[in-house]
Amino acid sequence: MSNFIPPENSVVLVSDTPSGEKIVLSVDLASIKNINSRWKRTHSKAAINWLTKYKPKSDASKLEKVRQYLEAFHHLCEVEEWIAAGNIFYLITDTPAKTELHNQLGLWGYYREVIELNKALLNKIDPRLDYLVLNEIGDTYQKLGQHQQALEFFEQAREINREVGDRSFEADSLHYIGNVYYSLGQVQQAIQLYQQALEITREIGDRPNEGHTLCALGNVYRSLGQIQEAIPLLEQALEIARESGDHSFEAISLVNLGAAYNSLSQYQQAVECHQQSLEIRREREDRWGEANSLGNLANAYRCLGQVQQAIELHQKRLEITREIGDRQGEADSLLDLGVAYLNLGEYQQTIQFNQQSLQLEQMIGDHRGESMSASNLADAYYYLEDYNRAIQFYQRSLEITLEMGDHWSEATYLRKVGLAYFKLEQIESAIQFYQQSLVVAQQIGDRNGEGMSAYNLADAYYYLGDYNQAIQFYQQSLIVAQQIGNRNGEGIALGNLGNAYRLLKKHLQGIEYHQQSLTVFREINNRFDEGKALGNLGNAYFSIGDYLQAINLLQESLAVMQELQNCQQEEYALINLGKVYCALGDYDKAIAYNQQHLAMVQTTQAELEHTNSL
């Protein structure tokens, strides 16, 4: 606060902004008595009373702590004291975020109040304020997942700026509208708008908005699988955020950079970025941002194999999104919970959560999310061996992505349809879809998709017994993974090369590839695939008759899968241990391991029957 001396008989609100400027609201108490209209006099006195006499309780809710300003704002609006109301709107609050009242309400998740305050000032002061008000209303609807409503307000704001002629405002409008198109799955249109915004911000030297646009572009490229293009943009954005001291934007940049590291299988770096963003957002009491950081941190832990911790974080995010009315965030939380349970092999839970997310995404018009939920449902049915139903949902995802012009997702879903046909033992159909996927991925420069399609083609030829052809495609997928820095993909390709060479009776080459695969997964701290690599290596030693080494490796694999609570992989380890002990002639231990496996199968079947009966 400052040493500002108020006029006699007046009440003054003085607030220091981060830049050192003052916002002053001075109301002459004596002048209120001279207001002729009793109605206006009553509202004016009420505003003053709220500002001077209201004291929230120590345990008051966040909204109660700023109630004096909200009530005063509404009373001033009733008597059309728009400038005074505007001063309250822009008042810097005494909160950890030290931000303006309207922004603070948004950070807390009070979106209805934010919209009400902005609408009250619309068309009341000047066109420049109207532009800002319309954008904030649009951004709030965007956070609520109401994308079409958001677009309407952003377009109104852009129309007003055609009269104002502010180039900085034009860049903002392009950025905001780009956000909506991205959310609606119209990715190429979003990229064009972001690039136009970036050109303007650089021409006028607007560094903060340049950073925001770089971040948005980087996030789009990340979502399209173009990680090497995304990371430099996101690093530039983070540098600008820190240079300008904008902690809110710093948190956003950290989230998107963390997501990019996650895509590169650099999970620990991803965790560090998301934890930093979470700390910033909690310190600022940014509820929407806190939920967003929790979700991204959860995804990083899931990729590290710490699925239970991921589920706990996703549940926390879901609670916050429902509390603040963030329907987009709620849909994303439900979708991610479905993915987490998919990783645990709890497919009925996946179906339950992704049916909810699909319904919500259809309601809010989130086509990208809708395609992802449909794909997750397909994945669950795939693992439940209902391959025909899986194909139906994959085809639904494919149709949506074709409508959106999202060729990256098109390549993914073509490949997944191929996987389902592969399971139906319609190998020729599978190969056709894999080849289509490979062509699309190569046409759009999707190196990650190219590597995965090559890997799937290798699997198909492996199944047909054409191991030499399989090795060629596994080598292609390995080269792509190494070139793009996909350590996880590198480890998987190495493991499958090991399996192919083992079946060609080239056991030493097979063991060498499995050792390399295990090393990669340990380096990136991927516990799940580390457990699978241990199992593969154990099977390789079993093939050359080194039963003791096989047992040690398979027991390590079993321990990892028990730690991760992955029932399916745990069953595989038990089966393989039974085989080794049978080969050793130790039939008691072989029977013991097979009995453990049988008990797990019976438990899973009983749970499934119980779920189906509900």
Side-chain angles (χ1 to χ4, degrees), residues 21 42 162 190 211 289 371 373 434 458 484 490 509 572-573 580 596 601:
E21 297 172 346
T42 300
R162 288 194 174 96
S371 72
S373 289
Y434 294 152
I484 67 175
E490 179 185 354
Q509 278 181 278
Y572 291 154
V580 179
Q596 287 183 59
V601 171

Side-chain angles (χ1 to χ4, degrees), residues 141-142 145-155 180-181 184 186 364-365 367:
Y141 279 121
Q142 179 78 345
Q146 299 177 33
H147 307 304
Q148 290 297 341
Q149 281 180 278
L151 184 59
E152 289 174 15
F153 282 98
F154 290 145
E155 292 286 10
V180 177
Y181 281 117
L184 292 173
Q186 299 179 36
I364 65 178
H367 300 304

Side-chain angles (χ1 to χ4, degrees), residues 91-120:
L91 182 76
I92 303 297
T93 55
D94 185 19
T95 60
K98 296 296 181 188
T99 190
E100 294 165 355
L101 175 63
H102 62 112
N103 287 331
Q104 186 61 63
L105 290 167
L107 291 177
W108 284 338
Y110 292 118
Y111 297 132
R112 182 177 62 81
E113 286 76 8
V114 172
I115 290 170
E116 283 180 3
L117 262 62
N118 276 280
K119 285 185 175 180

Side-chain angles (χ1 to χ4, degrees), residues 183-202:
S183 297
L184 292 173
Q186 299 179 36
V187 181
Q188 293 306 319
Q189 195 160 354
I191 289 173
Q192 289 176 12
L193 290 163
Y194 290 146
Q195 287 174 334
Q196 290 176 48
L198 186 60
E199 288 176 17
I200 294 172
T201 58
R202 285 175 170 168

Side-chain angles (χ1 to χ4, degrees), residues 483-543:
Q483 287 176 343
I484 67 175
N486 181 357
R487 299 302 310 284
N488 201 59
E490 179 185 354
I492 291 170
L494 287 165
N496 283 286
L497 279 165
N499 289 333
Y501 278 111
R502 179 170 64 87
L503 290 169
L504 285 172
K505 308 295 184 185
K506 298 180 180 180
H507 299 299
L508 293 181
Q509 278 181 278
I511 287 172
E512 184 180 340
Y513 278 113
H514 284 312
Q515 287 281 13
Q516 291 179 53
S517 174
L518 179 60
T519 299
V520 169
F521 291 131
R522 282 178 169 167
E523 285 176 355
I524 64 175
N525 198 24
N526 181 344
R527 291 285 284 160
F528 175 71
D529 282 310
E530 177 188 347
K532 289 179 70 175
L534 285 163
N536 285 332
L537 194 54
N539 290 334
Y541 277 107
F542 175 67
S543 296

